């Protein structure tokens, strides 16, 4: 099974919030999986940000043509289950021949 990982491409396929629904169907790059209470430098704004301790689950910080919950453009926070990987895992030459035949 393919795992989400930083630097990979993914498609946003859902949202729990009304604000996040504007991003459904958009392709994004995964920057990092942020744990509640974790501090990190936002790659778009350059500002140190902290995911609130009250967050019940980790969220992916994604970048691209998306809008954050506060209306800022260029990044958003997305739950793992709402991301579909777009990068294909490497396929061996044997597997490719089997698909073509």
């Amino acid at each position: 099974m393919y795992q989400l990982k930083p630097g990979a491409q993914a498609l946003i396929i859902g949202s729990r919030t009304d604000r996040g629904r504007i991003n459904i169907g958009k392709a994004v790059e995964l920057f990092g999986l942020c744990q509640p209470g974790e501090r990190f430098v936002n790659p778009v704004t350059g500002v140190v940000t902290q995911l609130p301790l009250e967050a019940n689950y980790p969220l992916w910080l994604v970048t691209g043509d998306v809008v954050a919950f506060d209306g800022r453009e260029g990044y958003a926070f997305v739950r793992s289950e709402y991301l579909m990987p777009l990068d294909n895992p490497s396929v061996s030459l044997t597997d490719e021949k089997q698909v073509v035949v």
Side-chain angles (χ1 to χ4, degrees):
M1 185 171 136
Y2 185 75
Q3 298 290 324
L4 298 170
K5 61 183 178 184
Q9 300 290 313
L11 184 69
I12 298 176
I13 59 171
S15 174
R16 192 177 62 83
T17 65
D18 288 335
R19 278 228 178 226
R21 290 192 179 101
I22 194 169
N23 295 323
I24 293 175
K26 294 185 177 180
V28 295
E29 181 175 342
L30 305 178
F31 177 76
L33 183 60
C34 306
Q35 302 295 326
E38 182 178 358
R39 299 181 75 149
F40 51 90
V41 176
N42 184 310
V44 175
T45 65
V47 175
V48 174
T49 306
Q50 181 175 5
L51 191 60
L53 283 169
E54 298 79 30
N56 296 328
Y57 38 81
L59 297 173
W60 279 95
L61 174 57
V62 301
T63 60
D65 183 24
V66 290
V67 180
F69 67 94
D70 60 2
R72 294 185 186 182
E73 297 181 2
Y75 71 94
F77 292 94
V78 183
R79 292 172 69 163
S80 295
E81 58 263 33
Y82 297 137
L83 292 167
M84 182 178 71
L86 292 177
D87 294 338
N88 292 331
S90 58
V91 178
S92 71
L93 185 56
T94 305
D95 291 341
E96 285 183 17
K97 287 181 180 178
Q98 289 175 351
V99 171
V100 173
V101 173

